[in-house]
Amino acid sequence: MPYVYALIVKAASTGAASQFCGWRDRVVAIVPEEVGPKESKIIRALAGGGIEAVHTCTVLDASGTCARWVTGLALEYGSGDEAIASDTPRPPGMAQSVVSAWLMREAGEAQLQQARHSLKFGLAGYAAT
């Protein structure tokens, strides 16, 4: 697991990752590709120590995928059925709900920021014509 965590931390610290969120060694990151500003890789550290990456073609798809994965992680750290069925070590006591709520807020905030930016950019094109 240290290698996976180090890879994602390196991407975040060098500026390669445009967004990242997680808890301890479970991190989700958006890494824009050099091919174009819209294409990205979404990378996440899995509970078993592996890494998963998917390619997205639009910024809204990247933001949505990242938010889904972070929300899934929040559910694993929470106190519901997903958490009970998960192998993810959870924080003790009240920290479970704090970590879960924080991750959900981060996921929602990232999606909201991207939606605002996309709407502003898209509607500006209509105003110019």
Side-chain angles (χ1 to χ4, degrees), residues 25-102:
D25 56 357
R26 300 291 305 280
V27 181
V28 179
I30 297 178
V31 181
E33 293 188 358
E34 294 181 17
V35 178
K38 297 178 182 178
E39 296 186 35
S40 299
K41 287 262 190 263
I42 315 305
I43 302 170
R44 71 173 163 179
L46 302 172
I51 191 167
E52 181 178 3
V54 296
H55 175 85
T56 59
C57 294
T58 68
V59 291
L60 286 173
D61 188 25
S63 178
T65 300
C66 184
R68 253 189 332 275
W69 283 2
V70 172
T71 300
L73 184 57
L75 293 173
E76 285 184 40
Y77 280 115
S79 58
D81 291 342
E82 291 88 350
I84 294 167
S86 172
D87 292 336
T88 302
R90 292 180 298 175
M94 287 295 295
Q96 289 179 15
S97 57
V98 171
V99 169
S100 184
W102 179 76

